[in-house]
Structure formats: structure tokens, C-alpha cells
Amino acid sequence: MLILGTCYPATWEGRPPGMTHDDWPIWMAWRAANIVRDDTYFYNVRIGSPVAAPANAPDNYRRQWELASLYRIDALGISPGRISIYEVKAKGTTESLWQLHTYHSLLTHELSHILTFDAWLITESTVKGTLSHSGNLKIKVFSLTPED
């Protein structure tokens, strides 16, 4: 299951749905450096297989339960022939890299006709070792400060 939500133009500068107040300035710093990278963006994207709500749950609760059980991608950037997956974190870690690796795997399965996917960790800073592991996983890192 893939739930994209609203499509935003690359020029939109509001606070993206689902993005925390702490992560938003980091995202905007990246956007300022890479404004023409993608044509459009989707935020707070849900992907995966939902976990069924309890059988006796009310309908509105069931929907929320299932949405909450899906993985949540901070942003997807769309350009002709390419989808970019973005995870925005104040502190980038190897756990962040594995999140991106999981999202990449799920999207590749869901959208196998897309030519190219790339994955980005957008962060204020990274924990030691994150950058070396990112290369092994083919994940790009944008960090506002050098690795700790």
C-alpha cells in the first residue's frame, strides 16, 4: 500500500505535513541548497502493509489504526524517471540509514516501473560512522555540520 497525499510544487515553502518543528529548518536549509533538484514533493507518505485493527473497533478508529501501522516517509521528491526518498533528522545515525534502506526496498516493490530511486538523509549532524555506512548503502547524506 502506498498513500502519497497532496502533491506540492518545488517552490512551496510551507511547513510540510508531518514534519516536526525541529526538522523543518533542516529541510529548508537543504531545499535552499537544492531547490531545483525535484519537480514536486509529497510529504508524510505512508507505505507498507497495514496491521488490521481489532475486529470490534469502530470504523474511524480502524482507519487511524491502519494508517499508524504503516511506515512514514518524510518526503518523496518526484522528477521525470526518478524518485528521491528523504529522511529528515536532527541527528543522523545508522538507524536513520536503515530506515531509508527499508523505504527504498518498499518503494522498489510498490513502484517497480520507476527507473531510478535515490535516498537522502538530510540532517543537522551525524553520529560517527554514519557517513561511512551511508556509502555502503548508496545513501546520500546532507549534513549542516561535520560528523561528530
Side-chain angles (χ1 to χ4, degrees), residues 45-49 67-73 99 102-103 106:
V45 175
R46 304 291 178 145
I47 191 167
S49 299
L67 279 175
S69 71
L70 296 171
Y71 290 98
R72 193 189 67 76
I73 300 171
Q99 272 183 274
T102 300
Y103 301 157
L106 290 166

Side-chain angles (χ1 to χ4, degrees), residues 63-86:
R63 177 76 176 142
Q64 290 305 313
W65 177 286
E66 290 175 0
L67 279 175
S69 71
L70 296 171
Y71 290 98
R72 193 189 67 76
I73 300 171
D74 285 336
L76 286 182
I78 311 296
S79 294
R82 187 191 75 233
I83 292 182
S84 298
I85 309 160
Y86 300 102

Side-chain angles (χ1 to χ4, degrees), residues 15 65 81 87 113 128 135 140 147:
R15 186 167 72 86
W65 177 286
E87 182 64 23
H113 63 284
K128 187 174 181 160
K140 299 170 184 86
E147 188 170 71

Side-chain angles (χ1 to χ4, degrees), residues 6-105:
T6 303
C7 181
Y8 294 87
T11 54
W12 183 72
E13 294 185 3
R15 186 167 72 86
M19 195 167 290
T20 68
H21 289 286
D22 293 339
D23 291 347
W24 185 38
I26 300 165
W27 174 248
M28 292 309 289
W30 182 85
R31 292 280 313 279
N34 296 278
I35 192 65
V36 295
R37 178 164 167 71
D38 299 296
D39 295 340
T40 57
Y41 292 94
F42 292 91
Y43 298 101
N44 205 23
V45 175
R46 304 291 178 145
I47 191 167
S49 299
V51 175
N56 60 350
D59 286 342
N60 62 336
Y61 177 78
R62 295 168 88 76
R63 177 76 176 142
Q64 290 305 313
W65 177 286
E66 290 175 0
L67 279 175
S69 71
L70 296 171
Y71 290 98
R72 193 189 67 76
I73 300 171
D74 285 336
L76 286 182
I78 311 296
S79 294
R82 187 191 75 233
I83 292 182
S84 298
I85 309 160
Y86 300 102
E87 182 64 23
V88 183
K89 299 270 190 194
K91 183 70 101 177
T93 66
T94 53
E95 181 179 320
S96 310
L97 299 176
W98 286 111
Q99 272 183 274
L100 279 160
H101 185 69
T102 300
Y103 301 157
H104 184 272
S105 177

